[in-house]
Amino acid sequence: MSEKLQLSLPAGKSVPRHIALIMDGNNRWAKKHGKGSLAGHRAGVDSVRSVVQGCAELGVEVLTLFAFSSENWQRPPLEVKGLMELFAFALDREVKKLHKHNIKLHVIGDRSRFSQTLQKKISKAEQMTAENTGLIVNVAANYGGKWDIVEAAKCFAQGCLDGQYTPDQLDADLLGSMISLSDQPAPDLCIRTAGEQRISNFLIWQMAYSEYFFSDLLWPDFDKYALGAAIQSYATRERRFGKTSEQLEADDA
């Protein structure tokens, strides 16, 4: 059992309410260790466990994991097949543990391309944890930020056809209410591993004002202590949301 994660944050600072995480570097980790690509993805499951544990220990409210993007279907067919099998295996093996620790699981993305068996496993996992009141773990699977915005636009358009809205009623708040995770706080911090510095079509609406932290660690080498280092960096930043530092100081006063 690992030691409980504890941080010493500057006065007046707190942990992010919502952390978004782009888990990158599984394939590079596998190559580095002379293994096949799926070995890297399997090793990455341990990192997911550690980070979920760290978030729960620190009181983070929401963790969103970018597990499989809508662009990942372009990967080699055997790797995609293996990833789908790993996803199903993780749902079978991990969900009971999440439920035991009062963690709620939610999957976002277009499920229609998944097999019926996998879709049923996702629904079953969500139903099992639906009433839990602790950390929310969102898994973005077959997800893309552009897809998310298009789906919201379709929802609004259908509302116009149904007489619920008129086009001139559309604003950022209304469209935002139709975007995935609209019932949750926006991500405060986005972490990406493996040294890459881009968001790769992940939560592009939701992360308009997120802080970013880029780690050189490959995902299977990332754990809750690396998470703690990212949060420590986040705690040194001033989030102005368009205001000046002086205005923030006046608001605090």
Side-chain angles (χ1 to χ4, degrees):
M1 191 76 173
S2 61
E3 183 180 342
K4 183 176 179 180
L5 180 59
Q6 296 180 327
L7 301 179
S8 178
L9 301 180
K13 298 291 186 176
S14 59
V15 299
R17 294 182 65 194
H18 184 168
I19 295 175
L21 223 161
I22 303 173
M23 306 176 289
D24 198 6
N26 292 323
N27 282 342
R28 276 173 277 175
W29 183 92
K31 290 178 182 177
K32 179 180 176 181
H33 292 273
K35 300 180 179 182
S37 60
L38 285 177
H41 295 293
R42 293 191 191 98
V45 173
D46 291 333
S47 294
V48 171
R49 290 194 198 103
S50 182
V51 167
V52 168
Q53 181 183 8
C55 285
E57 290 171 351
L58 292 173
V60 173
E61 296 177 32
V62 184
L63 172 66
T64 301
L65 302 169
F66 202 9
F68 189 85
S69 77
S70 49
E71 290 77 29
N72 285 155
W73 295 105
Q74 301 174 65
R75 294 194 171 197
L78 280 178
E79 182 178 351
V80 171
K81 181 176 182 292
L83 284 169
M84 293 301 105
E85 292 173 350
L86 183 60
F87 189 15
F89 174 77
L91 286 170
D92 287 336
R93 181 175 175 178
E94 303 296 328
V95 173
K96 289 182 180 178
K97 298 176 185 176
L98 297 179
H99 185 46
K100 179 181 177 181
H101 290 92
N102 195 33
I103 294 171
K104 182 176 182 177
L105 180 70
H106 179 50
V107 177
I108 61 171
D110 181 5
R111 304 182 190 187
S112 64
R113 196 164 174 180
F114 296 143
S115 69
Q116 287 297 315
T117 299
L118 183 53
Q119 290 184 50
K120 288 178 182 177
K121 287 181 183 292
I122 292 170
S123 296
K124 182 180 178 181
E126 289 180 324
Q127 290 167 11
M128 179 186 294
T129 64
E131 301 303 317
N132 292 344
T133 57
L135 173 69
I136 298 172
V137 175
N138 301 307
V139 176
N142 195 23
Y143 175 88
K146 291 181 179 180
W147 166 87
D148 201 354
I149 296 170
V150 168
E151 290 300 300
K154 288 179 181 178
C155 182
F156 175 75
Q158 188 61 54
C160 289
L161 291 175
D162 294 341
Q164 185 179 1
Y165 309 113
T166 58
D168 62 329
Q169 289 179 282
L170 183 62
D171 59 17
D173 289 337
L174 180 55
L175 190 63
S177 72
M178 301 172 184
I179 298 280
S180 296
L181 310 182
S182 61
D183 60 334
Q184 300 175 14
D188 300 293
L189 173 64
C190 175
I191 301 169
R192 181 168 188 152
T193 59
E196 303 294 346
Q197 298 187 19
R198 57 181 180 274
I199 62 172
S200 297
N201 198 21
F202 181 43
L203 301 180
I204 55 178
W205 178 282
Q206 297 89 333
M207 295 199 300
Y209 276 100
S210 299
E211 297 292 326
Y212 292 86
F213 182 89
F214 301 105
S215 171
D216 288 330
L217 291 172
L218 303 176
W219 175 245
D221 295 326
F222 196 90
D223 60 12
K224 68 179 185 179
Y225 300 107
L227 172 75
I231 293 174
Q232 291 280 180
S233 172
Y234 165 83
T236 65
R237 306 181 191 183
E238 182 181 65
R239 304 187 72 202
R240 293 189 294 272
F241 299 99
K243 295 183 178 182
T244 65
S245 298
E246 290 75 18
Q247 285 176 302
L248 291 179
E249 291 172 3
D251 290 343
D252 289 340

